[in-house]
Amino acid sequence: MLSLTRMASETIVIARAELTADASRALIGALNAELSAMYPEPGANHFGLKSTQVSGQSGVFLIVAQNGMPVGCGAVRLIDAETGELKRMYVSPAVRGKGLGRRLVAALEAEARALGAKRLVLETGTRQTAALALYRAAGFQPIPLYGEYLISPETSVCVGKELL
């Protein structure tokens, strides 16, 4: 368990989970549905993440639970020896605006450091203004598109951050 705190009589836990767990699959399904509705154009959605990329020394998948209910998730995977990539960040719309996204990013940064990453990168969509604001507030800066995101320049924004 990474984080256990109380927020106004609510218990928030951020813990590692298997990507194939029921709660993980449900959260990722909700994320995919939201993104598919927001970005219906062909090639705009990059849903790839494999269990092997978020296990062992390759990466980590985390779930945020509020009062025992899974309400968010995110992953970090190493894309090279010094660079981690944040993937599958999601917080349920019902609990957005409570700081859970900030806490999840901080937990993923800690996991990335533990994996040896010195830098974090991620892709998000151009229409996800709240996500972009969250990443800016966490110290991420715009970077050139990379990898698979080169094929979706109209809808992808990439950001990165040096880990201290």
Side-chain angles (χ1 to χ4, degrees):
M1 187 181 326
L2 291 176
S3 176
L4 174 63
T5 56
R6 293 201 173 270
M7 291 176 55
S9 78
E10 294 180 342
T11 301
I12 305 298
V13 176
I14 301 175
R16 289 180 179 210
E18 294 295 323
L19 188 61
T20 56
D22 289 345
S24 303
R25 289 194 329 243
L27 288 164
I28 289 172
L31 169 61
N32 290 350
E34 186 174 314
L35 291 176
S36 292
M38 192 178 296
Y39 299 96
E41 29 310 56
N45 293 299
H46 304 277
F47 295 158
L49 187 64
K50 299 175 185 165
S51 294
T52 56
Q53 295 173 314
V54 290
S55 62
Q57 291 301 307
S58 298
V60 174
F61 187 78
L62 301 178
I63 287 184
V64 179
Q66 178 183 38
N67 297 327
M69 294 294 300
V71 295
C73 64
V76 61
R77 67 175 180 158
L78 291 178
I79 57 175
D80 65 39
E82 295 189 345
T83 308
E85 181 182 31
L86 295 188
K87 297 281 290 179
R88 313 312 287 149
M89 280 283 302
Y90 177 73
V91 174
S92 173
V95 296
R96 289 182 186 161
K98 296 182 177 185
L100 298 178
R102 278 191 315 272
R103 293 172 64 182
L104 181 55
V105 169
L108 288 165
E109 285 183 14
E111 291 287 356
R113 283 186 196 91
L115 291 167
K118 297 187 180 352
R119 180 173 185 248
L120 276 178
V121 296
L122 66 90
E123 181 269 353
T124 191
T126 56
R127 298 174 196 138
Q128 290 166 264
T129 55
L132 287 165
L134 167 68
Y135 298 131
R136 271 194 304 276
F140 286 82
Q141 299 295 319
I143 62 170
L145 297 179
Y146 63 93
E148 64 187 316
Y149 313 116
L150 291 166
I151 64 170
S152 56
E154 298 83 19
T155 57
S156 288
V157 175
C158 291
V159 295
K161 161 181 190 172
E162 299 299 317
L163 296 176
L164 305 174

